[in-house]
Amino acid sequence: MIRFGIIGTNWITDRLLNAVMQIEDFSLTAVYSRTSEKAEEFAAKYGVETIFTDLEMMAKSDEIDAVYIASPNSLHAEQAILFMNHKKHVLCEKPLASNVKEISEMIQAAKENRVLLMEAMKSTFLPNFRSIQENLHKIGTVRRYIASYCQYSSRYDAYRSGTVLNAFDPTFSNGSLMDIGIYALYPSIVLFGKPETIKASGLLLSSGVDGEGSILLQYKDKDAVMMYSKITDSALPSEIQGEDGTIIIDRISTIEKVEIRYRDGRTEDITKPQKEDTMYYEMKEFIDLIQNDLYESTINTYENSIKVMEVMDEARKQIGVVYPADQK
């Protein structure tokens, strides 16, 4: 049984907990929030007795073996390193940190303390992502990857009326690329590696974060096009185009339906059965790794996390998005 503490009492934590209740070896034993009222309210919902309002005390606690971090992006590195230095395993929400420098420091802490650090990018663990990998050869030489993920933020109405909430505040290393675009980018890096060139454009909001944007990755024999937004919606699917066929992906963030359309007119449904609570798979991987004394995922590897962040760092530079975390 792996005893977990959680940092971040928000909707994403609720979603994770709903998904992982199906995992026998998961036990939620502690909750952190900046206020005892918020911590107690969240803990009561899940029958948890131990709460913390002090991260240092939580990191030192014998009540937990691992921590799930779902705090604002700008806090990931500092919090993860604190817990790893106290020999706690860390599952950290995506993006893993604000920039490559922070990720490198996190990886160093994980290696020095011989603990597991894993980025909670769920889509690469999904059965339907594995189906894409297993069937990719069927479409021949891949020439283009196109991913679209545009989702109007529930916080954007407040922004339009003059209130800048966390989701659009650069202090927290937020914005459409970090929060939404990463879902389009991560599969490209996992499937095809690091690109040769990066070209990015985007809409810089007055708060200093990007509201929407596009990235073009150029590889030796293919290109990848990513479109993402927190200020508009889109119903477009994503595609991997090969010389012999095209893989159609319904939603790049959850990958619920996958189909191959061949050039000769044939279609093949390569969708696999998949749990509705898709965050189940990342936690199952995390727990399995701990129980097998393994300190790095072979799927969401350190190398993948670094390559993804290298692209995002360069894209932000081209768009003009600068975070306080970049100045440290």
Side-chain angles (χ1 to χ4, degrees):
M1 182 69 69
I2 307 300
R3 302 168 304 159
F4 277 83
I6 58 167
I7 301 171
T9 51
N10 50 37
W11 67 270
I12 193 85
T13 311
D14 276 321
R15 185 171 291 180
L16 178 88
L17 292 174
N18 288 333
V20 302
M21 291 306 174
Q22 307 166 53
I23 301 175
E24 289 182 4
D25 294 322
F26 173 90
S27 174
L28 179 61
T29 56
V31 171
Y32 166 85
S33 185
R34 287 172 296 174
T35 67
S36 56
E37 293 80 13
K38 188 80 176 286
E40 286 170 359
E41 179 186 348
F42 196 88
K45 190 162 52 172
Y46 294 98
V48 176
E49 296 180 359
T50 304
I51 66 163
F52 292 94
T53 56
D54 184 300
L55 280 176
E56 187 85 32
M57 288 182 64
M58 186 180 185
K60 292 176 179 176
S61 170
D62 292 330
E63 299 268 334
I64 61 172
D65 308 303
V67 65
Y68 167 67
I69 297 176
S71 55
N73 302 334
S74 60
L75 302 177
H76 288 179
E78 180 183 348
Q79 293 175 347
I81 290 170
L82 170 64
F83 279 85
M84 289 188 288
N85 284 343
H86 285 87
K87 310 301 182 184
K88 303 297 192 288
H89 305 288
V90 173
L91 177 63
C92 186
E93 262 307 328
K94 58 80 200 159
L96 196 55
S98 299
N99 50 49
V100 168
K101 181 178 181 291
E102 287 187 348
I103 289 181
S104 299
E105 291 168 353
M106 293 164 77
I107 292 169
Q108 182 179 346
K111 290 179 176 178
E112 288 175 353
N113 291 287
R114 288 182 60 77
V115 292
L116 172 61
L117 168 67
M118 193 181 89
E119 187 168 15
M121 167 52 72
K122 64 179 182 178
S123 49
T124 39
F125 296 112
L126 300 180
N128 281 319
F129 185 77
R130 287 203 301 274
S131 182
I132 292 169
Q133 291 173 303
E134 291 164 2
N135 290 279
L136 194 60
H137 67 279
K138 294 181 178 178
I139 63 170
T141 302
V142 174
R143 294 303 188 192
R144 177 167 289 155
Y145 166 85
I146 304 173
S148 173
Y149 188 21
C150 303
Q151 184 173 295
Y152 189 94
S153 171
S154 59
R155 307 291 192 271
Y156 191 52
D157 283 344
Y159 184 90
R160 293 171 72 180
S161 64
T163 302
V164 180
L165 300 175
N166 288 6
F168 292 96
D169 185 346
T171 305
F172 299 105
S173 303
N174 282 326
S176 65
L177 173 59
M178 298 286 269
D179 296 343
I180 295 285
I182 190 171
Y183 281 108
L185 174 61
Y186 214 102
S188 181
I189 299 300
V190 173
L191 291 171
F192 310 118
K194 188 177 178 180
E196 294 186 346
T197 62
I198 302 160
K199 292 181 181 177
S201 62
L203 175 65
L204 195 62
L205 299 176
S206 59
S207 67
V209 304
D210 56 318
E212 56 85 30
S214 303
I215 298 176
L216 173 63
L217 305 181
Q218 188 65 53
Y219 293 86
K220 187 177 180 180
D221 60 351
K222 66 180 70 68
D223 62 21
V225 184
M226 280 138 283
M227 298 164 286
Y228 51 88
S229 175
K230 291 184 72 172
I231 60 176
T232 58
D233 284 322
S234 173
L236 288 176
S238 297
E239 295 185 346
I240 304 174
Q241 299 174 0
E243 292 185 349
D244 299 327
T246 300
I247 296 176
I248 312 293
I249 305 159
D250 65 337
R251 287 177 59 83
I252 198 64
S253 60
T254 52
I255 317 181
E256 295 162 10
K257 181 174 175 56
V258 193
E259 180 185 75
I260 302 177
R261 297 182 187 175
Y262 294 100
R263 285 186 55 249
D264 62 7
R266 289 178 298 124
T267 62
E268 181 183 1
D269 189 343
I270 58 170
T271 306
K272 287 188 174 183
Q274 187 169 284
K275 291 182 182 295
E276 186 175 345
D277 292 323
T278 50
M279 295 178 79
Y280 164 90
Y281 298 100
E282 66 192 58
M283 183 60 81
K284 184 72 168 64
E285 163 85 357
F286 187 74
I287 289 174
D288 286 349
L289 289 169
I290 294 173
Q291 292 179 329
N292 287 287
D293 295 320
L294 298 171
Y295 302 119
E296 182 181 356
S297 170
T298 58
I299 298 170
N300 285 6
T301 62
Y302 295 154
E303 184 180 12
N304 282 336
S305 292
I306 288 173
K307 285 178 179 178
V308 168
M309 188 55 73
E310 284 175 342
V311 172
M312 294 206 294
D313 280 358
E314 176 59 26
R316 284 200 296 115
K317 183 179 178 182
Q318 293 182 23
I319 296 168
V321 178
V322 180
Y323 299 135
D326 299 327
Q327 313 302 321
K328 292 180 181 178

